Amino acid sequence: MTGIVINLTHSIDDVDRTSVAMVVAGASVASNQTTTVFLSSEGTRLAARGVADDLHEEGFAPLSQLVADYVEAGGTFLVCSPCAKKRGIGEADLIEGASIVGGASLVKLLVDGASSLSF
């Protein structure tokens, strides 16, 4: 696999950084790149239904729109399993396009040739 993995470690704690990451992810998937956003640490909260609804950084589209557009264009979210568990996020809580995975899933993408960015 080639493509792009964006490691996002923020959400409600840094809406500016999260918005930048989602703009880049949206541009990547819109450019026909296989794009995966790996959510870890506080980033896992973005995968919980309803969280993005109240997040909007000045100068950016609302995060709910950035997330929805990314998923609609074919982007996916992989959610760090221990990070989600620590925050009480389960499969039933997830937005469309997100799944909880172990670290081996991220490693496989990278070993298979995906480029990586971190926010």
Side-chain angles (χ1 to χ4, degrees):
M1 175 220 164
T2 56
I4 297 177
V5 173
I6 297 173
N7 181 36
L8 179 54
T9 62
H10 296 278
S11 60
I12 61 176
D13 62 318
D14 192 339
V15 178
D16 187 24
R17 187 180 308 241
T18 304
S19 298
V20 172
M22 290 310 305
V23 166
V24 172
S28 175
V29 76
S31 299
N32 295 318
Q33 298 300 308
T34 301
T35 308
T36 303
V37 176
F38 182 75
L39 299 172
S40 60
S41 303
E42 282 298 305
T44 57
R45 295 188 193 281
L46 190 62
R49 272 190 318 265
V51 169
D53 294 348
D54 297 325
L55 303 177
H56 185 196
E57 184 70 20
E58 184 178 341
F60 294 91
L63 261 170
S64 58
Q65 179 183 340
L66 293 173
V67 168
D69 290 351
Y70 169 73
V71 171
E72 185 177 311
T76 58
F77 292 97
L78 298 181
V79 183
C80 166
S81 178
C83 302
K85 183 177 180 180
K86 175 180 177 180
R87 290 161 179 84
I89 299 169
E91 288 285 346
D93 303 311
L94 298 180
I95 59 172
E96 178 185 344
S99 57
I100 296 174
V101 300
S105 295
L106 174 61
V107 171
K108 178 161 179 20
L109 292 173
L110 297 172
V111 167
D112 288 347
S115 298
S116 176
L117 299 168
S118 292
F119 290 89

